[in-house]
Amino acid sequence: MGVNMGNVLGLVFANMHDMTVGDLTKNRTMGSLLFGGRYRLIDFPLSNMVNSGINAVGVITKDNYQSLLDHLGSAREWDLARKNGGLYILPPFGNANASLYAGRIEALNGAMSFIRNSMCEYVIMSDCDVVGNIEYKPIVEKHVESGADITVVAHTGQYTADEMKMSTVLNTEADGRVNSVLIRPELSGTCTASMNIFVMKKDLLIEIVSDLIARGMVSFESDVLQAKCGELKIMAYEYTGYFSKITSVNSYFKANMDLLDPENAAQVYLPKRSIYTKVSDNAPAKYDLNCSVKNSLIADGCIIEGEVENSVIFRGVKVGKGAKVRNCILMQGTVVEDNAECNYLITDKNVTIGEGHTLTSAPSYPMYVAKGASV
Amino acid sequence: MFNKKECVAMLLAGGQGSRLYALTQTVAKPAVPFGAKYRIIDFPLSNCINSGIDTVGVLTQYQPLVLNEYIGNGQPWDLDRLHGGVHVLPPYQKASGADWYSGTANAIYQNLSFIDRYDPEYVMILSGDHIYKMDYAQMLSYHKEKNAACTIAVLDVPMEEASRFGIMFARDDGEIYGFEEKPKVPKSTLASMGIYIFTYSKLKKYLIENENDKEATKDFGNNIIPALLDNKERVYAYRFDGYWKDVGTIDSLWEANMDLINPNIPIDLYDPAWKIYSRNPILPPQSIGKNASVQNSMVTEGCVIDGSVEFSMISEGVTVEEGAVIYDSILMPGCHVKKGAHVEYAIVGEDSVIGENAQIGARPETIEDKDTWGVAVVGHKLNISDGAVVAPKAIIYEDM
């Protein structure tokens, strides 16, 4: 069954789940959180949309979106600088009396004129908490074929109590129809959890949002998925490919480290379906005479003179002579000076670890060092 | 309507680059990969934009496909402009007939109408086969200060190398009174870098005169510069003292790559104030595996390295499998070196595959007769089978 993906409007929620990763999103949106050596989380839904043939994408933001605007620019790098369609950034809409939105429904209400103006028949919505190379076309095709009102992309697997606390859990019938929904349950074990990617008709979305706003309801999860799963045909689409879901600082750390395994990386970075990101014109990475690098991802612009192992190193990082970096995520511009040692650290942009200093944390709790800090 | 531009740059990129053999079989020399993530033409193009020159004509003729595609609309160099920007200028058919570019001067002559549209005061002539960082704005101020008809950038070279260059004779104030092309016994060490700034009215006059001269070879070095000197025009030498290298031969291409990882060579690619731009591949960060050892090398995006890499330049999307050894070599984009293969003092072209345990090139210390030693070259898109041996200095054009 063929679906014209040009008839699907993409909506990306850049700020949903900001609170899940604590300080990492203190000065940025979840969408602009740095990931995997050279990406920001929004690169994944945006690239997936573009690679699926979607021409028009709205990015719904709430606050702290300066880094996001800087990252997206004219959206040319995602091939979304278009004459028809392209990328639209949708900051909160309102006057001085309006407050920032609390839930997804309010966020959508703020973007309503953009959604109404779109000529697309369908809408696909995604958050920025899932890292993966996901084809949206089969999802939309399945949605049309099944006659669903709403399709929720989900994955059935083992979840820990921590993951469940940040998830929407779907109970489904054999055909995938959702018959009840649990929001952030205190459970663990095997279940079907939402990946926060939804497909529906644009008109239905407009109708639901207008109706709920009039009733003062703000949550898509509880006021739509949970409350209306009898009345509407809500279907779960079982996604079986590789992905990581970021629900905490620990899962952020693990999602990065998982990409050190070439088998995982091969499922995210596909030659025919690239993950796009902003270009920064760095020189290649330079490896010095006595350096040692093992099992790590290194971005361009790095100068490595010391030892790096099991780490994800972003663009323009410097690791000095005799320095030892193990099990770390070092974001853009971090400098590890000569003979310094780092273990289980997440350093934000432009952090300096001073000469000879040792900073060590535990595998169960990687330490975060805030942007621009000098240790 | 075109906005007036003070200075337009014309970049000569049509040469065949025959001394790069297998590397320029299907690719024009300016589009040959260089320095892990660049192509040669990135250097003059980046110099232009960093020097404030935003109108560049690129004259192409030989194997233009890769080059044209690479330049595209010029966006990676910030040369996609409403007024000006980069334009690829191939030879074209005119009402009176069609001609290939028959020389460097003829190539510019055929594009006078392109230059005229911007009504410039000055025209800069550049080549697409040199690696250097240079502020053309300073050279232009020098040209204006000297009220010159033509300014030629020159480099002081060691006397023993002077016979490889066009050598200028200049007075203390910089005025050039003569020159010799590749003299056997050089009388000066001021070598022309192939970079000229002309006052456009003069350039146009001499190009037209040269074109009408049936005997002329239509070349800047052979015709235009001698004609300017014969007519006592003001021709000045602009001394440049930074790093500059002609990469027209296999040896010089290999050396210039190695210069980038030599701490004693003054070319800094990490200076944020003078970036060298390139068309970026859309690839993930480089993945350095559990068995890898990488030292004294440059590696870029999309590489997967699990072998040993030393003193080498590894371009985008290269795979080096476990147990493979890359030593003093250049791997161009998309190469794949399989398990146990040794690549030593070699250049491997784009998308070529080196089979398991193959041996490409050799270290000079292992060769008794030093005359038989040299950099080995494997051309683009070739398959070298498992266990095959490519001798040092060999140039491979076909699968083996």
Side-chain angles (χ1 to χ4, degrees):
Chain A
M1 183 170 171
V3 167
N4 175 3
M5 291 300 283
N7 201 15
V8 181
L9 175 68
L11 289 175
V12 177
F13 294 86
N15 285 86
M16 288 288 160
H17 319 291
D18 278 3
M19 58 296 177
T20 59
V21 289
D23 285 345
L24 286 168
T25 48
K26 192 170 168 215
N27 294 308
R28 58 170 73 92
T29 66
M30 186 76 171
S32 41
L33 178 56
L34 288 86
F35 185 86
R38 66 185 300 248
Y39 301 96
R40 291 186 188 249
L41 288 178
I42 197 168
D43 293 336
F44 294 91
L46 277 186
S47 302
N48 289 335
M49 285 181 179
V50 169
N51 291 334
S52 302
I54 290 173
N55 293 323
V57 179
V59 175
I60 299 175
T61 65
K62 178 172 151 190
D63 47 19
N64 274 338
Y65 50 82
Q66 204 169 349
S67 58
L68 187 74
L69 293 182
D70 175 52
H71 181 65
L72 295 174
S74 67
R76 185 178 24 75
E77 274 116 347
W78 297 264
D79 200 16
L80 282 171
R82 302 282 183 90
K83 193 163 175 172
N84 296 313
L87 185 93
Y88 298 81
I89 296 173
L90 306 163
F93 188 82
N95 54 33
N97 301 323
S99 56
L100 290 173
Y101 62 77
R104 200 185 292 278
I105 292 296
E106 275 187 297
L108 284 164
N109 191 47
M112 204 37 83
S113 62
F114 169 75
I115 298 169
R116 278 184 208 280
N117 283 339
S118 163
M119 307 287 275
C120 295
E121 189 180 351
Y122 295 97
V123 176
I124 186 161
M125 299 186 273
S126 173
D127 293 348
C128 292
D129 58 341
V130 167
V131 171
N133 197 320
I134 305 173
E135 255 190 298
Y136 292 158
K137 193 164 190 233
I139 301 170
V140 179
E141 281 173 351
K142 189 71 195 290
H143 173 81
V144 175
E145 189 190 294
S146 68
D149 292 309
I150 301 174
T151 295
V152 182
V153 181
H155 177 74
T156 307
Q158 287 284 326
Y159 291 89
T160 65
D162 279 350
E163 287 166 335
M164 292 281 244
K165 247 187 338 211
M166 305 310 283
S167 298
T168 304
V169 174
L170 311 173
N171 292 319
T172 58
E173 290 160 14
D175 65 351
R177 179 156 183 175
V178 177
N179 55 27
S180 69
V181 173
L182 298 171
I183 296 168
R184 304 178 178 217
E186 300 261 352
L187 292 170
S188 65
T190 304
C191 73
T192 304
S194 162
M195 290 167 64
N196 299 324
I197 299 168
F198 313 102
V199 182
M200 59 202 292
K201 276 206 165 144
K202 188 190 81 173
D203 290 344
L204 177 63
L205 178 69
I206 294 172
E207 192 187 312
I208 289 174
V209 171
S210 315
D211 181 53
L212 291 186
I213 287 292
R215 295 164 196 271
M217 294 171 168
V218 297
S219 168
F220 186 78
E221 280 74 5
S222 59
D223 300 328
V224 182
L225 298 182
Q226 198 168 46
K228 293 182 191 284
C229 68
E231 169 189 342
L232 294 173
K233 185 175 180 187
I234 300 176
M235 297 291 288
Y237 176 96
E238 180 69 21
Y239 177 74
T240 51
Y242 178 85
F243 74 100
S244 317
K245 196 159 167 221
I246 291 160
T247 53
S248 62
V249 174
N250 275 343
S251 68
Y252 168 79
F253 185 79
K254 184 173 179 297
N256 273 280
M257 293 307 170
D258 282 350
L259 290 182
L260 293 178
D261 182 338
E263 280 185 24
N264 294 337
Q267 295 180 71
V268 175
Y269 305 120
L270 304 173
K272 306 273 179 201
R273 293 212 311 267
S274 306
I275 303 297
Y276 308 98
T277 190
K278 187 183 175 184
V279 163
S280 61
D281 294 297
N282 283 296
K286 187 148 82 179
Y287 296 80
D288 198 55
L289 187 58
N290 292 313
C291 79
S292 157
V293 180
K294 298 229 185 280
N295 195 36
S296 295
L297 291 173
I298 313 282
D300 274 3
C302 291
I303 299 180
I304 313 284
E305 298 175 330
E307 288 177 33
V308 177
E309 208 179 337
N310 306 332
S311 295
V312 175
I313 312 291
F314 283 72
R315 300 193 264 212
V317 167
K318 290 193 175 67
V319 177
K321 290 191 172 66
K324 291 187 172 65
V325 174
R326 297 212 166 88
N327 310 302
C328 287
I329 297 173
L330 306 183
M331 292 187 196
Q332 233 160 297
T334 294
V335 178
V336 181
E337 292 184 349
D338 292 357
N339 302 313
E341 287 187 34
C342 311
N343 202 354
Y344 291 104
L345 289 196
I346 301 173
T347 64
D348 209 313
K349 287 172 81 171
N350 304 322
V351 163
T352 302
I353 310 291
E355 191 173 339
H357 287 274
T358 301
L359 241 71
T360 301
S361 191
S364 58
Y365 193 83
M367 191 198 297
Y368 169 75
V369 184
K371 189 169 173 176
S374 238
V375 179
Chain B
M1 277 297 288
F2 289 86
N3 284 17
K4 183 179 171 65
K5 298 283 178 185
E6 186 190 29
C7 183
V8 168
M10 299 296 273
L11 205 162
L12 298 161
Q16 189 180 347
S18 54
R19 288 173 302 153
L20 289 178
Y21 303 97
L23 299 176
T24 46
Q25 282 287 99
T26 52
V27 178
K29 180 158 63 171
V32 168
F34 179 83
K37 74 175 286 188
Y38 307 96
R39 291 184 188 255
I40 296 168
I41 198 169
D42 288 331
F43 288 80
L45 283 181
S46 301
N47 286 338
C48 280
I49 196 69
N50 289 334
S51 305
I53 295 176
D54 64 8
T55 307
V56 184
V58 179
L59 300 126
T60 63
Q61 175 157 292
Y62 173 78
Q63 286 286 8
L65 178 65
V66 175
L67 183 61
N68 289 357
E69 195 174 68
Y70 186 69
I71 295 172
N73 68 350
Q75 184 276 326
W77 304 271
D78 208 5
L79 286 169
D80 55 333
R81 294 304 178 89
L82 210 50
H83 301 288
V86 66
H87 296 260
V88 174
L89 304 169
Y92 56 96
Q93 197 169 24
K94 301 153 198 78
S96 57
D99 289 307
W100 293 102
Y101 295 150
S102 57
T104 51
N106 175 261
I108 305 295
Y109 170 82
Q110 290 201 41
N111 287 286
L112 286 175
S113 59
F114 167 81
I115 302 173
D116 282 335
R117 298 197 298 180
Y118 300 100
D119 187 23
E121 305 302 320
Y122 308 101
V123 170
M124 179 142 210
I125 309 290
L126 302 168
S127 340
D129 46 8
H130 301 147
I131 302 299
Y132 63 110
K133 286 163 60 173
M134 177 175 178
D135 187 352
Y136 301 145
Q138 283 184 23
M139 181 171 168
L140 184 59
S141 345
Y142 177 88
H143 178 85
K144 289 192 241 177
E145 190 186 303
K146 296 291 180 188
N147 193 22
C150 171
T151 299
I152 303 171
V154 297
L155 193 71
D156 212 351
V157 296
M159 188 54 96
E160 58 271 23
E161 288 181 26
S163 55
R164 289 172 35 218
F165 297 97
I167 295 297
M168 303 288 153
F169 308 123
R171 290 182 237 285
D172 288 346
D173 72 341
E175 185 166 12
I176 294 173
Y177 58 88
F179 94 109
E180 272 185 303
E181 191 65 36
K182 298 185 179 144
K184 290 216 167 55
V185 189
K187 294 193 278 290
S188 151
T189 53
L190 290 183
S192 165
M193 296 162 63
I195 300 165
Y196 310 100
I197 292 176
F198 285 91
T199 297
Y200 183 48
S201 54
K202 298 282 185 188
L203 174 68
K204 197 169 175 178
K205 172 172 172 275
Y206 281 92
L207 284 177
I208 293 169
E209 281 175 18
N210 181 246
E211 200 57 34
N212 294 332
D213 177 358
K214 295 284 170 273
E215 307 291 303
T217 53
K218 319 270 164 75
D219 183 82
F220 275 95
N222 290 336
N223 304 136
I224 304 293
I225 305 301
L228 284 159
L229 293 172
D230 288 349
N231 287 314
K232 304 275 184 284
E233 295 283 4
R234 295 171 66 85
V235 181
Y236 277 79
Y238 174 76
R239 283 170 183 263
F240 177 73
D241 54 10
Y243 176 87
W244 175 88
K245 192 146 192 142
D246 183 316
V247 285
T249 63
I250 295 290
D251 285 348
S252 64
L253 178 67
W254 181 82
E255 277 167 24
N257 269 283
M258 294 306 149
D259 283 349
L260 295 179
I261 38 177
N262 183 341
N264 302 317
I265 300 282
I267 179 155
D268 178 11
L269 299 178
Y270 297 84
D271 176 6
W274 202 276
K275 278 189 179 181
I276 303 300
Y277 300 95
S278 65
R279 189 171 283 280
N280 278 253
I282 302 159
L283 291 168
Q286 48 206 276
S287 159
I288 310 296
K290 294 192 167 104
N291 307 301
S293 156
V294 184
Q295 291 191 333
N296 249 336
S297 296
M298 279 190 179
V299 184
T300 191
E301 281 150 7
C303 291
V304 179
I305 311 286
D306 209 21
S308 154
V309 174
E310 227 178 312
F311 296 98
S312 294
M313 302 299 278
I314 314 294
S315 312
E316 70 241 25
V318 165
T319 302
V320 177
E321 291 186 4
E322 186 186 346
V325 174
I326 315 296
Y327 189 82
D328 256 293
S329 292
I330 300 161
L331 302 186
M332 291 187 173
C335 286
H336 188 145
V337 181
K338 296 195 171 167
K339 286 192 177 70
H342 281 233
V343 179
E344 297 170 321
Y345 288 89
I347 302 177
V348 181
E350 289 184 57
D351 299 319
S352 286
V353 178
I354 307 299
E356 287 183 18
N357 302 314
Q359 171 78 39
I360 313 296
R363 304 188 190 199
E365 55 269 28
T366 64
I367 306 287
E368 271 184 37
D369 180 2
K370 297 292 183 235
D371 289 341
T372 62
W373 182 83
V375 173
V377 176
V378 174
H380 303 299
K381 296 191 169 67
L382 300 184
N383 277 301
I384 304 298
S385 53
D386 293 353
V389 176
V390 171
K393 219 173 179 173
I395 294 173
I396 307 301
Y397 291 87
E398 288 170 349
D399 290 355
M400 64 177 277

